[in-house]
Amino acid sequence: MRDTAPKHGPGPKTPIWQAIAQSLRIDLAEGRYAAGDRLPTEAALAERFGVNRHTVRHGISALVDEGLIRTRRGAGAFVASTPTDYPIGRKVRFHDNLVAAGRLPEKRVLLVEDRAATAGEAQALAIQTGEPVCSYHGLSLADGQPIAVFESVFPQVRTPGISAAFCGQSSVTKALAAVGVPDYTRASTRLTAVRATATQALHLLIAEGDPLLRSSSVNVDLADNPIEYGRTWFVGDRVTLTLEN
């Protein structure tokens, strides 16, 4: 006769990598790590859980598949954050866009310099190559997290004194108003997928070669004269660009 007596002994065990993934889920749910935070290194997590790094990597991969964690080559694992909605329409204002999305906006000035316009800049601004322009390099942040680096170029013939207007403040709108441009609108926007350079990666806290979305745009004054040629490199997983009429 076949033995039908119940078998006794330990039941099925949870794989260690699943237990690690669950522990990290609890950490996230309890707010131990906030959106955008970098998780401890694989080595540190391996020490915490008493396992090898391969097992830790397996557990993190499960959270990546669930959209809870994002990994960046050479940078580590980060708590996924909801991308910031960033509409691009006739009027594009960084501060207003982020406030509308429920985020705290911040801009940091990296460099303001007077120089000669390149051929591409001159074409976009309807000036001659070599004419003087003001170039403003900056870093855009949402809730303290870098989301983009940018360069805005202004023709000095139409915005005299704008370099000085950036002294002590970072707002393009306020700087333009200070030099006699009370309002401006977006005339064109071009979007291109590119890879992060080493310096961009440093500012944006990502790895060199990570994907970026580059926006090239021209803003015009009330008389339709080009007054700003801008290029912005957005971190693809931190911003959702919405094109509006």
Side-chain angles (χ1 to χ4, degrees):
M1 293 178 59
R2 187 176 59 180
D3 183 5
T4 58
K7 300 291 190 295
H8 297 285
K13 291 184 178 180
T14 301
I16 296 300
W17 68 267
Q18 289 185 5
I20 292 172
Q22 180 59 20
S23 293
L24 292 175
R25 286 191 199 95
I26 293 173
D27 289 346
L28 298 179
E30 292 179 346
R32 180 175 296 184
Y33 306 110
D37 281 355
R38 185 178 185 272
L39 292 182
T41 64
E42 288 181 358
L45 290 173
E47 182 71 19
R48 170 185 168 184
F49 294 111
V51 298
N52 58 45
R53 294 173 62 175
H54 175 76
T55 303
V56 167
R57 196 173 301 128
H58 196 176
I60 289 177
S61 293
L63 300 185
V64 170
D65 291 341
E66 296 170 18
L68 298 176
I69 298 294
R70 299 178 189 272
T71 57
R72 301 185 196 124
R73 188 179 68 254
F78 296 80
V79 181
S81 56
T82 304
T84 300
D85 287 326
Y86 198 92
I88 296 179
R90 194 164 174 272
K91 282 196 174 185
V92 180
R93 303 291 187 269
F94 169 77
H95 183 277
D96 294 345
N97 280 356
L98 264 65
V99 169
R103 303 298 174 92
L104 178 64
E106 180 186 353
K107 270 188 179 181
R108 296 178 188 170
V109 179
L110 301 177
L111 173 69
V112 176
E113 63 174 342
D114 295 330
R115 58 172 176 79
T118 66
E121 293 165 348
Q123 182 178 10
L125 294 170
I127 59 176
Q128 296 297 313
T129 300
E131 283 194 37
V133 295
C134 167
S135 175
Y136 165 28
H137 299 255
L139 176 67
S140 299
L141 304 95
D143 294 336
Q145 182 184 46
I147 60 171
V149 288
F150 65 88
E151 180 185 12
S152 290
V153 179
F154 307 88
Q156 294 195 24
V157 66
R158 301 190 192 108
T159 58
I162 193 166
S163 298
F166 280 118
C167 183
Q169 62 93 25
S170 59
S171 169
V172 169
T173 300
K174 290 180 180 179
L176 285 172
V179 298
V181 182
D183 199 9
Y184 58 95
T185 56
R186 179 64 57 92
S188 66
T189 301
R190 182 180 182 183
L191 301 176
T192 309
V194 297
R195 297 286 182 178
T197 65
T199 53
Q200 289 171 339
L202 182 65
H203 287 302
L204 296 170
L205 305 180
I206 59 176
E208 182 180 0
D210 277 359
L212 299 177
L213 192 59
R214 183 182 66 202
S215 166
S216 302
S217 61
V218 175
N219 287 326
V220 297
D221 61 17
L222 298 178
D224 285 334
N225 298 309
I227 47 87
E228 179 187 2
Y229 171 56
R231 289 177 297 168
T232 303
W233 292 263
F234 292 97
V235 181
D237 61 358
R238 298 179 191 169
V239 177
T240 298
L241 300 180
T242 304
L243 301 180
E244 299 180 339
N245 292 331

